[in-house]
């Protein structure tokens, strides 16, 4: 049993001892334990490798990601475990003018995304020119692009930006919530290789028992999730 995860707090990130931690890690651990699986391998990877790794059998399941029709053709998903809105990470001096994807488009600003994430399509749909969007491999790379002015805004879920700044405070950076009219909150779920339908069904049953119970609410609150986002 191999669980693939990212360095993206508060969802998941490697601790100093190399073990994975975060709300998604705690949830997958609890769900697998309910199935009698008390030990599994945790493998750190990049977002671009998550789905290919499932397809070629390098891992069994991955940290949750947004569910889309295109991704469903490649993998199977568990029941949703959170519903999150997009946000922009910008330099403090830009937060008044870069108020969402449309504002980025109108300003001719540059947007950075992590390769393969859905925020690239959201930016294009809002009118940002393709040549004003570029992708990088990791959250750290995207933040660095904003700080060194290669990009004006980094698009991800707002919760990921909050998690990053909680771990690495930076007075020069600010989070802008993308208006729901530009990008509505979307559901995320654990992804499984299509060769594991029985495991996914059992895992879903365990999630149903866990999500919303006292332990789960306390765990998500500890990771600073608002109640309406899970």
């Amino acid at each position: 049993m191999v669980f693939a995860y990212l360095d993206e707090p508060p969802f998941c990130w490697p601790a100093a001892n190399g073990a994975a931690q975060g709300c998604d890690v705690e949830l997958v651990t609890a769900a697998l334990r309910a199935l009698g699986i008390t030990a599994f391998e945790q493998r750190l990877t990049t977002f671009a490798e998550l789905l290919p790794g499932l397809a070629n059998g390098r891992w069994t399941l991955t940290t949750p990601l947004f569910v889309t029709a295109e991704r469903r053709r490649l993998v199977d998903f568990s029941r949703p475990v959170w519903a999150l809105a997009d946000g922009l990470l910008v330099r403090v001096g830009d937060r008044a003018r870069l108020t969402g994807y449309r504002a980025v488009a109108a300003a001719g600003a540059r947007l950075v995304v992590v390769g393969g994430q859905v925020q690239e399509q959201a930016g294009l749909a809002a009118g940002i020119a393709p040549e004003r969007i570029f992708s990088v491999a990791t959250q750290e790379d995207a933040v660095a692009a904003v700080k060194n002015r290669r990009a004006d805004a980094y698009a991800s879920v707002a919760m990921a930006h909050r998690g990053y700044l909680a771990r690495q405070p930076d007075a020069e950076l600010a989070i802008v919530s993308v208006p729901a009219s530009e990008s509505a909150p979307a559901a995320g779920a654990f992804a499984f290789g299509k060769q594991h339908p029985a495991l996914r069904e059992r895992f879903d049953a365990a999630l149903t028992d866990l999500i919303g119970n006292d332990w789960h609410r306390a765990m998500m609150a500890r990771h600073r999730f608002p109640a309406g986002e899970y």
Side-chain angles (χ1 to χ4, degrees):
M1 180 75 62
V2 181
F3 170 67
Y5 74 101
L6 306 172
D7 186 355
E8 193 173 79
F11 307 102
C12 41
W13 72 97
N17 64 2
Q21 60 186 341
C23 61
D24 290 345
V25 178
E26 292 188 44
L27 183 56
V28 73
T29 300
L32 291 176
R33 185 182 299 118
L35 303 184
I37 301 170
T38 57
F40 59 96
E41 183 180 348
Q42 303 166 340
R43 196 171 299 174
L44 179 64
T45 188
T46 63
F47 191 91
E49 287 299 309
L50 282 178
L51 299 188
L54 284 176
N56 62 29
R58 278 181 286 164
W59 33 79
T60 316
L61 73 164
T62 75
T63 190
L65 62 159
F66 284 131
V67 179
T68 68
E70 180 180 2
R71 289 171 178 170
R72 280 190 181 279
R73 289 194 286 270
L74 301 173
V75 300
D76 290 333
F77 285 97
S78 72
R79 58 154 290 173
V81 297
W82 39 248
L84 300 175
D86 282 358
L88 302 178
L89 190 69
V90 302
R91 295 181 293 276
V92 167
D94 286 332
R95 63 183 167 188
R97 73 182 184 102
L98 301 181
T99 56
Y101 292 123
R102 291 173 189 158
V104 171
R110 296 157 298 178
L111 185 74
V112 63
V113 298
V114 172
Q117 293 192 348
V118 299
Q119 285 77 22
E120 180 175 1
Q121 296 305 314
L124 291 170
I128 302 175
E131 64 271 17
R132 305 301 288 174
I133 303 177
F134 67 96
S135 62
V136 294
T138 68
Q139 182 187 54
E140 286 281 354
D141 293 339
V143 174
V146 174
K147 293 187 67 172
N148 66 26
R149 298 182 178 270
R150 288 181 58 221
D152 300 297
Y154 160 34
S156 185
V157 292
M159 193 68 216
H161 296 323
R162 295 198 293 268
Y164 179 88
L165 291 181
R167 187 172 66 161
Q168 300 189 52
D170 192 323
E172 296 181 356
L173 298 174
I175 302 167
V176 174
S177 296
V178 172
S181 60
E182 297 182 15
S183 180
F190 291 96
F192 287 78
K194 286 187 174 292
Q195 65 271 42
H196 300 295
L199 173 63
R200 181 190 55 77
E201 289 177 6
R202 294 173 59 222
F203 188 85
D204 262 0
L207 285 180
T208 297
D209 290 339
L210 288 167
I211 291 175
N213 70 15
D214 290 345
W215 168 83
H216 182 251
R217 289 196 301 271
M219 184 270 289
M220 295 298 274
R222 179 161 40 82
H223 288 287
R224 303 182 181 182
F225 268 78
E229 294 189 352
Y230 60 87

